[in-house]
């Protein structure tokens, strides 16, 4: 039996970089919409109340969020059927199309109702893209990473996710320095979308040169009918690779993804995106100061991800998840309460940073843990669909719930809501098995390198 040579560490790094840079561009494009909506709201919606215009752009943003489960389903299926590389290339291409459409669409005064319709269409495309990007990227990074370093390499998914948010903020700050307000409102807001579309096209070209994962190639080769025809009979009797029917064979794993994600996504959106509004509205800290507090805290947060990912390779994933679950359940209410009563920027940063250290126990490894639950034939869809549904229901509504409770005069109830969601996930962590030592990825990796004869047959079939 012949075997393939182990992939060199240099090649692994090259593949991880191509996958991660694409993830960064995708999330940059996703966050640019929120960062610049204040400038383009009046372009796409009838003139009048500025608040109504912003609410309209927020509604379009929410619709994009709700498209993520559909993206997780469609692109997850595509990745399991046709390969991770093809799905990642398709994902970033769709994102490029969405960003370019926003950049080039004329305003309401020029084309009327078609303007908000095209904006909605562009956001739908972006929602589909991001929904598929998470699962496929998590799957690809976990499969191409060197054994024993999967936690470290997979952590770069959240490094690039948060970095995309930071770069979007950075582009906004730079443009504000060179353009006056009237220029920003008239045409300056289109620049970041052009940048995003151009970057996505570059990444599309880079991703075409990525290696396909050995695990996927081995599974694809196994589906090739044998010379005797018995393979065709077997293939016909089993659910198709990447199908919902096959996913239904893994109900426990799907429920685990929901339980793993619920507390983490609520905590992540609370301590990153909502924190800026909370410091301004409740703590009473100025907007400029809040922006710097968030920027520096998120920058440190980015650095923490690979450190925690590498730690999980040494001590296991479950211990980090339990740390997040216990600390998040116990400390969320005190942190939010203290933060709401301080105007000191350093104290506010320290409290936010403490919360982000806790959240790192989830963000740094959540992608690899989910990927390690499923076999190759259903991994992208298995990670993508239940994750995207949970994020859309709980993560996407976190800020709305927080602001609604504040308006009703019961802001502290939200703190307990976050702690309760984390507690639900903690129960999941306590009863789940460790994944890094007994994952489907490691089991399949041992056979993937022995699949060269079948792979050759698949390539010449």
């Amino acid at each position: 039996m012949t075997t393939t040579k182990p992939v060199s560490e240099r090649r692994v790094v090259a593949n991880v970089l191509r996958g991660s840079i694409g993830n960064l561009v995708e999330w940059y494009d996703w966050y640019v919409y929120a960062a610049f909506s204040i400038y383009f709201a009046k372009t796409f919606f009838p003139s009048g109340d500025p608040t109504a215009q912003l609410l309209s752009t927020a509604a379009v943003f929410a619709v994009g969020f709700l498209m993520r489960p559909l993206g997780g389903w469609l692109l997850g299926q595509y990745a399991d059927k046709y390969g991770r590389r093809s799905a990642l290339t398709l994902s970033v291409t769709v994102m490029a199309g969405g960003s370019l459409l926003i950049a080039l669409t004329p305003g309401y005064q020029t084309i009327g109702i078609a303007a908000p319709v095209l904006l909605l269409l562009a956001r739908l495309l972006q929602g589909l893209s991001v929904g598929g990007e998470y699962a496929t990227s998590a799957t690809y990074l976990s499969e191409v990473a060197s054994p024993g370093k999967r936690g470290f390499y997979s952590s770069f998914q959240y490094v690039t996710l948060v970095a995309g948010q930071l770069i979007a903020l950075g582009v906004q700050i730079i443009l504000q320095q060179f353009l006056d307000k009237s220029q920003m409102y008239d045409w300056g807001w289109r620049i970041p979308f052009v940048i995003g579309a151009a970057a996505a096209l570059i990444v599309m070209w880079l991703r075409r040169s990525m290696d396909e994962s050995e695990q996927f190639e081995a599974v694809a080769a196994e589906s090739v009918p044998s010379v005797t025809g018995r393979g065709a009979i077997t293939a016909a009797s089993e659910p198709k690779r990447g199908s919902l029917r096959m996913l239904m064979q893994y109900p426990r794993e799907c429920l685990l993804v929901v339980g793993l994600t619920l507390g983490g996504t609520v905590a992540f959106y609370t301590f990153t995106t909502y924190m800026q509004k909370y410091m301004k509205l409740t703590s009473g800290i100025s907007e400029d100061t809040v922006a710097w507090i968030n920027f520096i805290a998120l920058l440190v947060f980015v650095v923490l991800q690979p450190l925690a990912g590498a730690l999980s390779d040494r001590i296991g994933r479950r211990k980090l998840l339990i740390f997040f679950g216990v600390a998040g359940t116990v400390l969320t209410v005190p942190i939010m309460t203290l933060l709401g009563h301080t105007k000191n920027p350093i104290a506010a940063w320290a409290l936010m940073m403490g919360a982000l250290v806790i959240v790192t126990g989830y963000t740094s490894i959540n992608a690899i843990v989910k990927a390690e639950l499923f076999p190759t034939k259903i991994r992208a869809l298995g990670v993508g669909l239940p994750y995207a549904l949970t994020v859309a229901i709980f993560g996407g509504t976190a800020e709305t719930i927080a602001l609604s409770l504040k308006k009703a005069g019961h802001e502290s109830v939200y703190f307990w809501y976050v702690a309760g969601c984390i507690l639900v996930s903690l129960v999941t962590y306590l009863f789940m098995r460790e994944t890094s030592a007994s994952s489907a990825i490691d089991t399949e990796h041992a056979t993937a390198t022995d699949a060269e004869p079948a792979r050759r047959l698949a390539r010449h079939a």
Side-chain angles (χ1 to χ4, degrees):
M1 179 181 295
T2 61
T3 60
T4 59
K5 294 181 179 180
V7 179
S8 69
E9 195 70 18
R10 184 176 180 179
R11 192 66 184 172
V12 169
V13 172
N15 287 323
V16 169
L17 282 176
R18 290 187 184 97
S20 298
I21 291 174
N23 197 50
L24 184 151
V25 170
E26 291 247 6
W27 286 103
Y28 163 83
D29 283 332
W30 179 257
Y31 284 117
V32 154
Y33 181 99
F36 286 86
S37 61
I38 189 173
Y39 294 111
F40 65 72
K42 72 174 186 177
T43 298
F44 289 100
F45 298 96
S47 59
D49 183 6
T51 302
Q53 292 172 340
L54 285 175
L55 284 173
S56 297
T57 59
V60 174
F61 181 83
V63 171
F65 222 109
L66 294 175
M67 289 299 290
R68 289 175 62 174
L70 184 59
W73 171 43
L74 293 177
L75 285 174
Q77 280 190 322
Y78 189 89
D80 285 330
K81 290 180 179 179
Y82 303 107
R84 322 313 190 195
R85 180 177 58 193
S86 297
L88 286 170
T89 303
L90 176 60
S91 172
V92 78
T93 304
V94 172
M95 180 59 79
S99 294
L100 193 60
L101 184 58
I102 295 176
L104 299 180
T105 297
Y108 186 88
Q109 298 298 324
T110 303
I111 61 174
I113 192 65
V117 170
L118 289 174
L119 177 66
L120 176 62
L121 175 61
R123 199 57 184 171
L124 293 177
L125 290 174
Q126 290 186 326
L128 283 171
S129 175
V130 168
E133 172 71 19
Y134 174 88
T136 311
S137 177
T139 299
Y140 182 76
L141 292 178
S142 67
E143 290 177 353
V144 301
S146 306
K149 295 183 179 180
R150 292 199 177 95
F152 171 73
Y153 283 124
S154 296
S155 70
F156 282 89
Q157 185 169 42
Y158 262 81
V159 169
T160 51
L161 188 156
V162 179
Q165 185 176 358
L166 288 172
I167 292 174
L169 180 59
V171 170
Q172 184 181 43
I173 292 172
I174 292 172
L175 288 176
Q176 287 171 341
Q177 304 305 310
F178 289 94
L179 302 177
D180 58 36
K181 280 191 175 182
S182 63
Q183 291 173 322
M184 287 292 291
Y185 279 100
D186 289 341
W187 54 268
W189 62 265
R190 296 183 186 271
I191 295 175
F193 290 101
V194 173
I195 293 172
L201 290 174
I202 293 172
V203 169
M204 177 186 69
W205 176 77
L206 288 173
R207 282 184 163 179
R208 293 178 64 184
S209 64
M210 294 191 309
D211 295 330
E212 184 57 86
S213 77
E214 289 186 345
Q215 286 93 329
F216 176 80
E217 287 190 332
V219 169
E222 289 174 3
S223 65
V224 176
S226 64
V227 176
T228 62
R230 287 177 293 180
I233 296 174
T234 302
S237 63
E238 292 181 353
K240 291 183 179 180
R241 191 172 69 244
S243 65
L244 286 175
R245 183 182 167 203
M246 177 170 283
L247 183 63
M248 291 174 65
Q249 296 180 352
Y250 300 89
R252 178 181 177 276
E253 287 78 5
C254 290
L255 289 174
L256 275 174
V257 171
V258 173
L260 285 163
T261 304
L262 195 157
T265 190
V266 172
F268 175 75
Y269 282 102
T270 296
F271 294 125
T272 56
T273 57
Y274 175 63
M275 190 58 68
Q276 194 164 358
K277 296 179 178 65
Y278 180 71
M279 288 184 186
K280 176 186 173 183
L281 298 175
T282 302
S283 304
I285 303 173
S286 68
E287 288 184 5
D288 292 343
T289 304
V290 166
W292 278 109
I293 291 172
N294 278 257
F295 188 88
I296 296 172
L298 289 174
L299 198 59
V300 177
F301 183 54
V302 165
V303 176
L304 290 175
Q305 303 310 299
L307 298 177
L311 180 63
S312 77
D313 288 324
R314 297 178 63 87
I315 68 173
R317 326 289 188 215
R318 188 166 167 268
K319 290 179 181 177
L320 281 184
L321 290 172
I322 291 174
F323 159 74
F324 159 68
V326 172
T329 301
V330 174
L331 296 178
T332 292
V333 174
I335 287 174
M336 295 294 287
T337 302
L338 288 171
L339 185 56
H341 288 85
T342 183
K343 292 182 181 294
N344 186 302
I346 297 177
W349 177 85
L351 288 167
M352 180 178 179
M353 200 64 249
L356 291 178
V357 169
I358 294 171
V359 176
T360 296
Y362 164 79
T363 55
S364 60
I365 58 170
N366 84 94
I368 185 63
V369 171
K370 293 161 192 170
E372 288 175 336
L373 291 172
F374 295 93
T376 302
K377 59 187 177 182
I378 197 66
R379 184 169 291 132
L381 182 60
V383 173
L385 184 56
Y387 167 81
L389 284 169
T390 309
V391 170
I393 295 170
F394 294 97
T397 60
E399 188 171 302
T400 302
I401 293 173
L403 292 172
S404 298
L405 287 171
K406 179 177 178 60
K407 186 176 181 180
H410 302 291
E411 187 172 39
S412 62
V413 173
Y414 180 72
F415 311 160
W416 291 99
Y417 168 75
V418 177
C421 290
I422 297 174
L423 178 61
V424 172
S425 287
L426 174 59
V427 174
T428 303
Y429 308 150
L430 291 173
F431 287 95
M432 68 178 285
R433 70 177 189 274
E434 178 61 76
T435 62
S436 58
S438 58
S439 71
I441 296 176
D442 285 316
T443 301
E444 292 172 334
H445 183 80
T447 59
T449 54
D450 295 327
E452 184 63 20
R455 194 174 298 127
R456 287 176 180 168
L457 177 60
R459 289 170 177 167
H460 291 87

